[in-house]
Amino acid sequence: HIMQALALMKQHPEFKFTLDQVAYIRPFIERYPEAAADFRKYVAEGRLEIVGGMDVMPDDVKPGGELVVRQVQYGKQWCKQELGVAVTGAWLLVAFGHHPPLPQLFKLAGYKSFWFCRGVPKDAMPSEFNWRGIDGTEIPAFWLPGFYGLFYGPPSEPKPFADFFKQRYDALNSHVNGPERVGLAGVDVSEPEEYVPALVRGFHQQADRPFTIRYSVPSEFATVVAD
C-alpha cells in the first residue's frame, strides 16, 4: 500500500497521503531501501505527512498515561532522527475515549492538533473546536463525524462520483462553521485508490461544480481552520 501511494505521488503531482504509525513505517524503510529515497523526498515536500508518530496508535483510556508518554518518546524521536520531521498532529482516530489531561501532554510533546473519531458525548457537536484539558491547556481538536472512510470508495463514473462527493460534503453541514470541510479517504488496511485522481480532475472541469475537491494532509486543513 505504501508502494502504491508512492507510485501515485510520482504519477500525480497533486496526490498526497498520510501515514500514522512507526510500527509499519520503520519496517518499510528498512525492507525497501530502493523506495526510501522517494519516501523521504515526499515527506520533506509535505506531500507525505506523518501524523501520530507513535510506535502504534494506543488506546489512551484503558492504560495509564505513562504508556502514551513512552509511545510519543519512542515514535517521534525515530521520525525526527530518521525522517527529519517533527510530527505535529496527534492522531488517535479509533481510540474509544480520551482522558482530560491529554491536551497538556500533547502540547508538551510538541503536537499542534488532535484528530479523533470516537469518544464524543453527542452527535450535535462541531467538528472543529478547542479542547481544554483539566489544567487549562487547549489544543485544536478535529473530530471526524463521518469517521475515517467518509470519502473512501467513490463510484468510478463521473456523475455518480460527483453525486457521492456532494452527499458526503453535505452530510457535514451541521458540524462545520465554514465552507471548508475535511474527510478521510481510507479504511482499515485499504489500498490507495488509483482511479480517483482522474475523476477529481474531471470534477474540476465542470463549470457548475458546487465546490473544489483537493488532496490534502491534516496540517494543511488545520491551518485553513485556524485562519
Side-chain angles (χ1 to χ4, degrees):
H1 293 168
I2 298 176
M3 285 288 200
Q4 186 165 333
L6 295 178
L8 287 170
M9 280 185 274
K10 185 173 294 187
Q11 184 179 357
H12 305 284
E14 75 278 13
F15 189 85
K16 298 180 181 181
F17 205 69
T18 299
L19 295 171
D20 64 354
Q21 298 174 70
V22 171
Y24 62 77
I25 298 173
R26 180 175 183 172
F28 177 83
I29 294 293
E30 293 173 346
R31 295 174 188 174
Y32 302 101
E34 70 278 10
D38 282 341
F39 190 101
R40 297 176 192 277
K41 172 178 178 287
Y42 294 134
V43 168
E45 292 175 352
R47 293 178 58 198
L48 176 59
E49 183 159 287
I50 309 300
V51 295
M54 302 184 198
D55 184 46
V56 298
M57 186 189 304
D59 191 336
D60 59 280
V61 171
K62 298 174 183 177
E66 182 73 11
L67 172 117
V68 177
V69 171
R70 296 301 181 190
Q71 289 274 1
V72 169
Q73 286 181 324
Y74 171 82
K76 287 192 67 174
Q77 183 179 21
W78 185 88
C79 291
K80 187 67 174 177
Q81 291 178 345
E82 299 298 326
L83 301 177
V85 62
V87 180
T88 60
W91 193 262
L92 294 174
L93 293 192
V94 295
F96 285 89
H98 308 287
H99 275 305
L102 283 179
Q104 181 185 23
L105 288 177
F106 288 154
K107 278 294 189 72
L108 289 171
Y111 291 116
K112 298 180 180 179
S113 64
F114 168 60
W115 296 71
F116 71 108
C117 291
R118 294 187 169 115
V120 297
K122 56 186 177 181
D123 183 63
M125 279 185 56
S127 51
E128 297 93 36
F129 58 93
N130 287 326
W131 179 21
R132 180 178 297 166
I134 57 175
D135 75 321
T137 300
E138 292 186 353
I139 190 167
F142 295 82
W143 171 47
L144 300 170
F147 224 66
Y148 51 74
L150 184 69
F151 289 118
Y152 180 74
S156 58
E157 297 297 325
K159 178 61 168 64
F161 177 86
D163 292 343
F164 171 90
F165 265 84
K166 181 67 165 59
Q167 186 273 327
R168 300 299 174 95
Y169 178 94
D170 289 343
L172 300 177
N173 284 343
S174 63
H175 301 290
V176 298
N177 293 312
E180 300 88 1
R181 49 208 68 181
V182 64
L184 275 60
V187 293
D188 289 341
V189 291
S190 58
E191 60 183 332
E193 299 167 306
E194 58 186 353
Y195 70 96
V196 172
L199 288 163
V200 171
R201 287 194 293 272
F203 181 87
H204 289 161
Q205 293 171 3
Q206 302 174 23
D208 60 343
R209 67 182 185 274
F211 46 75
T212 297
I213 302 171
R214 175 184 170 187
Y215 280 106
S216 188
V217 291
S219 63
E220 290 177 329
F221 186 74
T223 299
V224 167
V225 171
D227 289 343

